[in-house]
Amino acid sequence: MGPPGAGKGTQAKLIAGRLGVPAISTGDIFRANARDETPLGVDAKRFIDAGDYVPDEVTNAMVRDRIAEDDADGGFLLDGYPRTVSQVQELDKMLEERGYSLDAAVLLTVSAEELVQRLLNRAHAEGRVDDTEEVLWHRQDVFREQTEPLLSVYEDRGLLLRVDGIGSVEDVSSRVFAELDRVQGERPS
Ligand code: B4P
């Protein structure tokens, strides 16, 4: 978890690689669908370009299908999901139905100024023409309003690991690995 540009996608790939599980990124799935101009992609693109979240029903159904795939049998990492209270409730149901439980929720913390700068750099490098500064600030507001309330949910469950997301990609992943190793060491085997 983390605000837009915190490096969720960047770190998700590294963590999933280390754990040998798939990284399931809702943002990546939406973008792949948008590129292929599927009905899901065309629908999602309107929301993403405006800096808003894709509606919960669409996102939840997509995750439900994805975690039912064979490669998720041995565990998986969710990147950018859940992002709303309703997504937490749906994820809880999905996990319960399949007999799974969450090991940890990793939050990457980064200041809003650094985030907008990173995303402007990415927009420039990757030609994401719709990532204007106005939309990027709106994304930060949407995170504060809709996703920040989730942090206390996972904190209350004793699952939230806060990791400083500032520094090189390697520094941040070392911190994430150290936190994951720490909680694994503390749990009964
Ligand atoms: P995401 O794909 O999740 O993208 P993001 O929040 O913009 O970026 P992320 O945090 O993954 O940062 P990244 O590693 O790319 O979501 C895109 C959109 O999809 C959302 O806005 C929303 O509309 C929709 N969506 C996705 N999930 C949804 C859900 N569950 N419900 C509803 N809607 C949903 O890194 C960003 C940049 O920073 C990159 O350029 C990277 O190179 C750079 N960077 C990374 N780590 C760095 C570091 N340590 N130092 C400097 N730069 C770094």
Side-chain angles (χ1 to χ4, degrees), residues 100-115:
Y100 297 152
S101 60
L102 290 180
D103 294 313
V106 178
L107 169 71
L108 297 175
T109 61
V110 181
S111 70
E113 288 71 20
E114 160 89 13
L115 293 169

Side-chain angles (χ1 to χ4, degrees), residues 57-118:
E57 311 79 66
V58 177
T59 311
N60 288 330
M62 195 176 83
V63 173
R64 181 179 287 278
D65 287 348
R66 181 63 187 86
I67 66 173
E69 287 180 28
D70 289 348
D71 67 341
D73 265 358
F76 48 83
L77 183 151
L78 293 169
D79 161 18
Y81 181 92
R83 260 170 153 104
T84 65
V85 172
S86 148
Q87 291 180 16
V88 171
Q89 290 161 350
E90 274 307 303
L91 176 63
D92 285 344
K93 281 192 220 153
M94 289 179 220
L95 295 176
E96 196 183 327
E97 281 162 19
R98 304 192 72 82
Y100 297 152
S101 60
L102 290 180
D103 294 313
V106 178
L107 169 71
L108 297 175
T109 61
V110 181
S111 70
E113 288 71 20
E114 160 89 13
L115 293 169
V116 170
Q117 194 49 53
R118 274 188 196 178

Side-chain angles (χ1 to χ4, degrees), residues 2-13 25-28 30-31 44 47-49 51-56 59 62-63 79-84 87 108 114-115 118-119 121-123 125-126 128 131 136 139 165-170 172:
K8 297 182 293 291
T10 306
Q11 295 299 328
K13 290 180 188 71
S25 160
T26 40
D28 280 355
F30 287 137
R31 277 188 292 276
F47 296 97
I48 294 176
D49 287 353
D52 291 319
Y53 286 165
V54 178
D56 287 331
T59 311
M62 195 176 83
V63 173
D79 161 18
Y81 181 92
R83 260 170 153 104
T84 65
Q87 291 180 16
L108 297 175
E114 160 89 13
L115 293 169
R118 274 188 196 178
L119 292 174
N121 293 345
R122 180 177 71 182
E126 295 180 9
R128 292 202 194 182
D131 274 356
L136 296 177
R139 285 204 174 121
I166 304 241
S168 70
V169 169
E170 295 73 24
V172 176

Side-chain angles (χ1 to χ4, degrees), residues 102-105 151-161 182-183 186-187:
L102 290 180
D103 294 313
L151 304 181
S152 60
V153 172
Y154 288 110
E155 188 130 57
D156 290 349
R157 296 183 190 182
L159 292 174
L160 192 70
L161 305 179
R182 182 181 64 75
V183 291
E186 285 172 1
R187 288 192 184 140

